[in-house]
Amino acid sequence: MINLTDEKMDKTTKKKKKTAECCGYPISIFFIVVNEFCERFSYYGMRAVLVLYFRYFLLWDDDLATSIYHAFVALCYLTPILGAIIADSWLGKFKTIIYLSIVYAIGQVTMAISTIHDITDANRDGTPDNFTFHIALSMLGLILIALGTGGIKPCVAAFGGDQFQEHQSRQLNTFFSVFYLCINAGSLLSTLITPVLRAQECGIHTQQQCYPLAFGVPAVLMVISLVVFIAGSGMYVKTDPEGNIMWSVCKCIGFAIKNRFRHRSSSYPKREHWMDWANEKYDKLLIAQIKMVLKVLFLYIPLPMFWTLFDQKGSRWTLQATTMSGDFGAFILQPDQMQTVNPILILTLVPIMDRLIFPLIQKCGLNFSPLKRMTVGMLFAAMAFVSAALVQIEIDKTLPNFPSSSESQLKVVNTYSTTLNVTISPNEHLLIESFGSSADYVTFDHQDITVSLNTNPVITKAFSLIKGGRQTLIIPSDPTVMYLKEDVKSKPREGKNAIRFVNGYTADLNITNLDSIEPSATTNYTLVNQGKRDFVLRHGEQWCEFSRKFGFGASYTFLIPSTVFSDDCESITEVEDMKPNSVHMALQIPQYFLITTGEVMFSVTGLQFSYSQAPKNMKSVLQAGWLCTNAVGNIIVLIVAELGKLPKQWAEYLLFASLLVAVSIIFSIMAYFYTYIDPAEIEAQVRKEQGLEPEEMEKETLEMEEKDEDQKNEQGVKQTKI
Ligand SMILES: N[C@@H](CC(=O)O)C(=O)NCC(=O)O
């Protein structure tokens, strides 16, 4: 029985007594959660506009932009290992957070500077002249950000946990929930704000999309995060690093393996655990701690699969949203804004789960242990993907029938003065009225065709179609020069609409935001957003204006007749090449609800579990291991994206759902054999076995602390003497 005198009690708990409390919580955690809010605002705000920056500022193609984006996210979840090593073996969590936050803030500022196009826009045309400079600077910024955000990630949660005393386990759980709420409040606000900042126009010489502001605000938030953290400095419980623990762990494991191999003959008695083969050389306490960590790390093996599904909400699900309608009546939701449903749901679900669902389950006498929660979380994520597959099946029903890689599709547009009988060899006959088009695309399984028009004389012309492509045969006022124009063969990106104009007027025309268009020519596609759009057509002094209301994801060809100015643009004909999206984005809400419920059960619980099951000196290491499961999950997404997809998107969703169900079954079996531990208790037991009684241990600690203090005092005296 530990029986400490008041004086001793004072000394052993002196660090904790110093932390002021409010409503049973250490005040210091206020600074930690505010710091986390600002940091996550900074991270998610920057991430929200990153792909668009790659795509439209650096002018990378979709594939490169997506790959670099996922590689960056994976790096952000790999660097926690580095942060944990620095914290646990060298600087301690407090200093690690400060130093790496400085690196992080420098990275954000570098990133913001790299987006100022005026720096290299010597010819003032609105585009940077030296892309290498911008790419190099932004890559440097991203590496620093990944190092910073990843490095501090395992430290901040564990540092927050360190602020609590042993009897505050209930408050500790609430802290992790509040911590998660702050992450999502930061993420929600920034995901809403930074795209709006990006859409502003700014610049010194020319006005461009305001990336410097969109990246600059997250940089400011990171500086604020650092200042807030430093402000709480006097109140924190700061645990000292315990030497190069990772190195000791590696050496100890290496020795155990070597020793086991040396004694592989059956004549040697078996040992309870393979790590016991390190007994000859290493401290029993270290071996016991390594066993605890390995047990948890082993349990982590199936976890990346959850993140593989979870992180697709930023990629596949957003792409799915681009094929849906975001018209909610009172407001219009853009496809990438659909992602904000996740943090919104987190903010509502975490309190509901904590205050209502989990206590209710407990009241019913059910043992809903952390590992059971995580298994159920995985099943929810799998259900989310089943829901996504069902939505996809509905979308597929409304999608155009795009050509396969061996087919070609053709549509005919007639801007000739009379109705035409169009024969496409060998046996396609189309009757197309003046300023009209064929009803739909005709599919061919060969590329070479001959087109005949029933004009007088008959006009015949041979064409070669694009394999796997969609084209329109434009018949102008002079049909002898009929020509092919390539069409879009997938839904326009970001839910935009692809539009183009065929000029049936007798002279050049100028159309708002488009280059001048010659008679009989067809413009290239321009992407326009949903909503009402106005266009002004001009030729010399003549002009007229016409308006169209667009939905999401459609494609149109507008045919301009020769009478366009005399009837005030009334006679412009609209040919619908691709129908607007008709499946509503609200149908994605169930899948978001399911994945977010899964996240609350899996991720919030996993965070607490990783903290509670780690020995004191390896808490950051285990947090880093937990975050690494996320990195591996992202790498799996990268590999799957690179290897190509199943022919049907809904089938891919079902495949992922089935994989996660299989993995969750394996995880539940592993969890069944896992026994929850109290690391402090095990450590005390090992010490006891080593012959160190608790009282002696306390005594030893006190003596060491006293010695420490004496040394400090001595140094102080020496310093004052000097
Ligand atoms: N729900 C996510 C945030 C988001 O995707 O907007 C989350 O909580 N992630 C955990 C983190 O630490 O960022």
Side-chain angles (χ1 to χ4, degrees):
M1 174 90 177
I2 304 170
N3 183 11
L4 299 173
T5 62
D6 279 356
E7 195 191 335
K8 276 180 184 172
M9 273 281 275
D10 254 16
K11 284 196 171 176
T12 47
T13 57
K14 66 177 188 286
K15 278 180 182 169
K16 296 196 172 169
K17 276 203 163 178
K18 268 190 198 163
T19 56
E21 282 188 10
C22 174
C23 314
Y25 290 87
I27 291 185
S28 54
I29 60 158
F30 166 78
F31 295 92
I32 296 171
V33 290
V34 175
N35 157 274
E36 183 69 8
F37 168 83
C38 297
E39 187 276 321
R40 288 288 93 183
F41 183 111
S42 176
Y43 174 71
Y44 281 108
M46 178 270 312
R47 232 176 76 162
V49 288
L50 192 58
V51 173
L52 299 181
Y53 166 73
F54 289 157
R55 186 71 190 80
Y56 304 115
F57 186 99
L58 297 182
L59 303 179
W60 289 350
D61 64 24
D62 276 357
D63 287 343
L64 183 62
T66 314
S67 298
I68 300 289
Y69 171 82
H70 274 290
F72 166 69
V73 175
L75 190 64
C76 289
Y77 285 97
L78 278 177
T79 45
I81 303 188
L82 203 68
I85 294 174
I86 297 174
D88 282 353
S89 5
W90 180 29
L91 289 179
K93 295 183 199 87
F94 176 72
K95 282 189 188 155
T96 307
I97 295 171
I98 294 202
Y99 293 154
L100 287 181
S101 293
I102 294 172
V103 172
Y104 190 170
I106 294 173
Q108 288 282 34
V109 172
T110 310
M111 190 67 208
I113 293 172
S114 82
T115 65
I116 305 174
H117 67 274
D118 287 303
I119 296 179
T120 66
D121 188 10
N123 60 6
R124 301 187 178 185
D125 66 349
T127 340
D129 298 341
N130 185 352
F131 276 100
T132 317
F133 169 82
H134 292 276
I135 293 173
L137 208 58
S138 55
M139 290 305 110
L140 174 69
L142 288 180
I143 290 170
L144 294 179
I145 292 170
L147 200 66
T149 184
I152 64 172
K153 194 119 188 65
C155 304
V156 180
F159 189 65
D162 288 349
Q163 306 307 309
F164 292 84
Q165 299 184 31
E166 257 156 46
H167 66 272
Q168 291 178 306
S169 62
R170 187 183 57 79
Q171 285 92 334
L172 181 67
N173 279 348
T174 311
F175 161 72
F176 279 116
S177 298
V178 173
F179 190 75
Y180 216 81
L181 286 181
C182 285
I183 289 175
N184 284 276
S187 138
L188 172 63
L189 280 183
S190 64
T191 316
L192 287 173
I193 292 171
T194 49
V196 175
L197 297 178
R198 193 229 353 130
Q200 310 303 310
E201 298 219 317
C202 63
I204 303 166
H205 305 310
T206 56
Q207 298 291 302
Q208 301 294 324
Q209 295 231 324
C210 206
Y211 286 104
L213 193 59
F215 284 101
V217 169
V220 171
L221 261 288
M222 193 51 224
V223 175
I224 296 176
S225 158
L226 179 62
V227 171
V228 169
F229 187 73
I230 294 174
S233 184
M235 296 188 195
Y236 300 131
V237 171
K238 298 171 195 158
T239 46
D240 292 331
E242 314 247 341
N244 199 341
I245 190 78
M246 272 311 264
W247 181 230
S248 313
V249 169
C250 293
K251 278 198 309 192
C252 183
I253 292 176
F255 179 79
I257 295 171
K258 239 177 10 200
N259 204 24
R260 173 75 190 90
F261 190 70
R262 252 191 255 134
H263 300 92
R264 61 187 176 282
S265 145
S266 54
S267 56
Y268 294 105
K270 280 206 166 101
R271 296 190 185 178
E272 207 182 310
H273 191 284
W274 64 269
M275 269 309 298
D276 292 332
W277 288 96
N279 275 347
E280 279 87 336
K281 195 169 164 192
Y282 286 89
D283 181 28
K284 278 221 164 60
L285 182 63
L286 179 68
I287 296 174
Q289 288 170 332
I290 294 177
K291 280 186 197 169
M292 290 186 243
V293 169
L294 288 180
K295 232 172 97 171
V296 180
L297 287 181
F298 176 68
L299 210 56
Y300 283 174
I301 293 172
L303 304 190
M305 201 62 213
F306 174 87
W307 299 115
T308 301
L309 272 72
F310 182 78
D311 279 325
Q312 288 188 47
K313 68 182 167 51
S315 47
R316 293 266 197 272
W317 286 15
T318 305
L319 290 177
Q320 185 182 59
T322 63
T323 58
M324 304 174 86
S325 162
D327 191 347
F328 281 77
F331 61 93
I332 301 290
L333 207 65
Q334 295 304 325
D336 45 353
Q337 285 178 324
M338 197 63 198
Q339 285 182 63
T340 53
V341 173
N342 169 263
I344 292 173
L345 283 174
I346 286 275
L347 292 176
T348 42
L349 281 179
V350 169
I352 292 176
M353 292 279 187
D354 266 7
R355 304 265 160 228
L356 205 73
I357 310 287
F358 294 148
L360 214 67
I361 293 175
Q362 209 174 6
K363 262 206 179 126
C364 295
L366 294 171
N367 172 20
F368 203 31
S369 65
L371 294 179
K372 279 188 196 157
R373 280 188 209 181
M374 288 169 75
T375 314
V376 175
M378 285 182 177
L379 293 175
F380 267 100
M383 284 195 287
F385 266 61
V386 174
S387 172
L390 294 176
V391 171
Q392 191 60 48
I393 291 170
E394 279 310 303
I395 293 171
D396 286 352
K397 285 184 202 161
T398 66
L399 284 182
N401 185 19
F402 292 118
S404 70
S405 56
S406 61
E407 291 173 335
S408 307
Q409 288 184 337
L410 185 72
K411 187 171 197 165
V412 182
V413 158
N414 175 14
T415 60
Y416 184 54
S417 51
T418 60
T419 300
L420 285 174
N421 219 325
V422 183
T423 306
I424 307 172
S425 66
N427 48 18
E428 261 331 309
H429 303 283
L430 305 167
L431 187 69
I432 306 172
E433 59 188 36
S434 176
F435 282 84
S437 76
S438 52
D440 203 354
Y441 286 88
V442 181
T443 304
F444 298 92
D445 52 14
H446 53 274
Q447 279 71 60
D448 295 324
I449 55 163
T450 310
V451 178
S452 303
L453 308 180
N454 67 330
T455 42
N456 190 9
V458 171
I459 300 168
T460 303
K461 212 168 169 181
F463 293 98
S464 183
L465 300 176
I466 299 172
K467 222 175 176 180
R470 277 189 147 193
Q471 285 162 287
T472 295
L473 176 72
I474 311 278
I475 305 173
S477 50
D478 173 8
T480 56
V481 293
M482 59 183 157
Y483 60 94
L484 288 178
K485 190 83 187 166
E486 200 173 341
D487 298 358
V488 277
K489 55 172 188 164
S490 59
K491 279 274 174 187
R493 63 182 159 77
E494 297 167 27
K496 294 190 177 178
N497 300 280
I499 62 161
R500 63 183 177 183
F501 295 85
V502 181
N503 186 2
Y505 188 63
T506 45
D508 283 10
L509 284 176
N510 278 310
I511 308 173
T512 327
N513 293 334
L514 295 170
D515 288 339
S516 151
I517 161 176
E518 289 172 11
S520 300
T522 305
T523 62
N524 289 327
Y525 281 109
T526 302
L527 291 180
V528 293
N529 281 328
Q530 180 277 345
K532 190 169 164 282
R533 305 279 152 225
D534 302 324
F535 300 90
V536 178
L537 272 70
R538 268 181 210 286
H539 172 69
E541 294 294 297
Q542 303 185 82
W543 66 276
C544 67
E545 190 177 15
F546 90 109
S547 301
R548 282 288 183 279
K549 195 166 183 272
F550 295 101
F552 287 84
S555 163
Y556 301 97
T557 303
F558 292 106
L559 312 180
I560 305 168
S562 53
T563 54
V564 64
F565 293 120
S566 52
D567 58 24
D568 206 16
C569 277
E570 284 291 313
S571 52
I572 293 178
T573 321
E574 174 187 294
V575 175
E576 191 181 71
D577 299 331
M578 203 182 292
K579 284 189 188 323
N581 304 340
S582 55
V583 178
H584 204 275
M585 269 188 217
L587 282 189
Q588 276 197 327
I589 291 176
Q591 72 205 51
Y592 269 99
F593 177 79
L594 288 167
I595 202 111
T596 311
T597 310
E599 183 190 356
V600 175
M601 301 231 177
F602 181 89
S603 186
V604 183
T605 314
L607 199 66
Q608 294 164 359
F609 177 79
S610 306
Y611 184 83
S612 71
Q613 297 298 288
K616 204 174 102 217
N617 53 349
M618 296 183 196
K619 291 213 187 281
S620 310
V621 173
L622 218 47
Q623 289 287 327
W626 164 254
L627 294 167
C628 253
T629 62
N630 197 324
V632 179
N634 260 284
I635 292 169
I636 298 176
V637 182
L638 256 182
I639 295 170
V640 173
E642 286 302 319
L643 284 184
K645 311 176 266 173
L646 290 178
K648 291 282 174 203
Q649 185 55 56
W650 61 262
E652 191 186 285
Y653 286 141
L654 283 188
L655 174 72
F656 276 120
S658 329
L659 283 175
L660 191 56
V661 170
V663 165
S664 63
I665 293 171
I666 297 170
F667 180 71
S668 65
I669 296 169
M670 289 163 78
Y672 178 78
F673 291 104
Y674 183 86
T675 33
Y676 292 90
I677 51 159
D678 178 350
E681 212 170 87
I682 295 183
E683 284 168 348
Q685 207 178 328
V686 175
R687 283 204 180 99
K688 202 171 165 192
E689 279 164 17
Q690 284 177 317
L692 224 55
E693 287 304 318
E695 276 177 46
E696 284 176 48
M697 281 156 41
E698 294 297 343
K699 216 168 128 196
E700 202 184 52
T701 321
L702 286 176
E703 275 168 10
M704 277 171 65
E705 283 184 1
E706 270 161 14
K707 230 162 117 190
D708 238 32
E709 220 152 82
D710 288 347
Q711 268 177 3
K712 275 181 200 156
N713 288 341
E714 246 172 61
Q715 276 170 3
V717 172
K718 273 182 202 159
Q719 274 165 8
T720 35
K721 270 182 186 167
I722 290 165

